[in-house]
Amino acid sequence: MLVIGVAGGTGSGKTTVVRKIAEQFQEDEVAILSQDSYYFDNSHLSLEERRKKNFDHPDSVEFGLMIDHVKKLQKGIPVNEPVYSFISCTRMEESRQVTPKEVLIVEGILCLTNKALRNLMDIKVFVDCDSDIRLSRVIRRDMNERSRNVDQVLDRYEKTVRPSHLQFIEPTKRFADIIIPQGGMNQVAINILTNHINHTLKNN
Ligand SMILES: Nc1ncnc2c1ncn2[C@@H]1O[C@H](COP(=O)(O)OP(=O)(O)O)[C@@H](O)[C@H]1O
Ligand SMILES: Nc1ccn([C@@H]2O[C@H](COP(=O)(O)O)[C@@H](O)[C@H]2O)c(=O)n1
């Protein structure tokens, strides 16, 4: 199994890049694990307290479980990926079964911050994007999909998202084998990655 890690700031285009890569393969060839699914549950806290959490800090993610799932998939064992709600900021009762495939893409803002997880990756990618563009995307997305108003989005951005991006996420660019500017619109980078994956699969 080839494990590809895709990191980058919130709104940088990670999901778009992953989708475009996955589209180049058959459905039974590529499995995807999202780091967002591994946010701690926090249902013991009130919604107000949960919303105040720093979700851009590495401690907000249950990396132990995520690493265990990657290792199981590498051994050919299916896993149950948790389902996370950005509206309630908790894990849902249900989970999603992920079965082992030839390629596993692990995607998320913090997925290159964890050394043990990094060590499981064969290719590390960082999707790069200016912070003003990311912020405008995040405002739209959080208002449309995450039940937030503009003040809540900007308040979170100033207090936790931006400082943690600078402290934890941006520095992981140095671990990347490939840095992709213009995210999902960078067809050249997506083709290069797809060709590399195909080449590696054929030679294994
Ligand atoms: N290169 C791009 N140009 C314009 N819009 C983009 C581009 N890449 C992503 N988007 C849009 O920006 C938003 C965030 O992209 P997404 O891939 O979900 O980012 P991430 O997973 O890094 O948070 C989505 O609405 C997506 O359609
Ligand atoms: N309950 C939560 C948990 C996380 N976030 C934010 O999501 C961003 C990461 O997701 P991407 O899809 O953009 O990579 C991150 O910046 C967290 O602050 C949230 O809003 N609510």
Side-chain angles (χ1 to χ4, degrees):
M1 174 185 276
L2 185 71
V3 182
I4 304 166
V6 179
T10 180
S12 59
K14 300 178 296 298
T15 313
T16 311
V17 167
V18 170
R19 183 174 47 77
K20 291 206 172 176
I21 294 171
E23 277 169 9
Q24 306 299 314
F25 295 87
Q26 303 292 328
E27 243 180 63
D28 61 358
E29 287 179 315
V30 182
I32 299 169
L33 277 191
S34 170
Q35 174 225 289
D36 290 346
S37 309
Y38 294 86
Y39 276 122
F40 280 106
D41 177 42
N42 288 321
S43 56
H44 59 289
L45 303 174
S46 69
L47 178 61
E48 207 191 326
E49 286 169 324
R50 290 199 292 271
R51 280 189 166 170
K52 280 192 196 139
K53 287 241 144 214
N54 182 353
F55 293 108
D56 297 74
H57 192 292
D59 290 350
S60 62
V61 177
E62 194 178 355
F63 276 115
L65 182 63
M66 195 173 173
I67 290 164
D68 179 58
H69 283 182
V70 175
K71 285 183 175 168
K72 284 206 170 100
L73 288 167
Q74 283 178 316
K75 286 183 193 151
I77 305 166
V79 299
N80 290 319
E81 180 186 21
V83 174
Y84 185 77
S85 163
F86 287 96
I87 294 174
S88 64
C89 305
T90 58
R91 281 190 196 163
M92 303 282 87
E93 299 243 318
E94 70 268 25
S95 57
R96 183 181 77 94
Q97 198 189 50
V98 180
T99 51
K101 307 210 173 139
E102 275 192 278
V103 179
L104 172 65
I105 306 181
V106 178
E107 172 266 325
I109 53 171
L110 295 159
C111 72
L112 294 183
T113 61
N114 185 289
K115 192 174 178 197
L117 183 59
R118 264 199 326 268
N119 287 342
L120 298 174
M121 297 170 183
D122 300 292
I123 307 171
K124 296 182 273 299
V125 177
F126 190 96
V127 180
D128 205 11
C129 182
D130 289 344
S131 51
D132 55 341
I133 297 177
R134 292 192 295 100
L135 176 59
S136 68
R137 289 178 186 163
V138 166
I139 292 171
R140 267 203 204 99
R141 180 197 60 195
D142 285 5
M143 292 179 71
N144 291 335
E145 297 170 21
R146 297 185 182 177
S147 295
R148 320 259 167 94
N149 64 43
V150 72
D151 281 336
Q152 287 170 327
V153 181
L154 293 179
D155 198 45
R156 259 176 36 78
Y157 185 79
E158 287 157 15
K159 287 197 177 120
T160 55
V161 177
R162 184 175 187 277
S164 294
H165 178 84
L166 295 174
Q167 186 177 356
F168 303 112
I169 299 159
E170 182 76 16
T172 63
K173 211 187 260 184
R174 73 192 166 97
F175 298 120
D177 303 300
I178 302 168
I179 296 170
I180 306 186
Q182 297 118 42
M185 295 300 141
N186 194 333
Q187 199 55 49
V188 174
I190 289 164
N191 290 346
I192 290 172
L193 253 174
T194 307
N195 289 340
H196 181 79
I197 296 167
N198 268 321
H199 179 80
T200 311
L201 292 180
K202 272 193 201 117
N203 289 302
N204 279 342

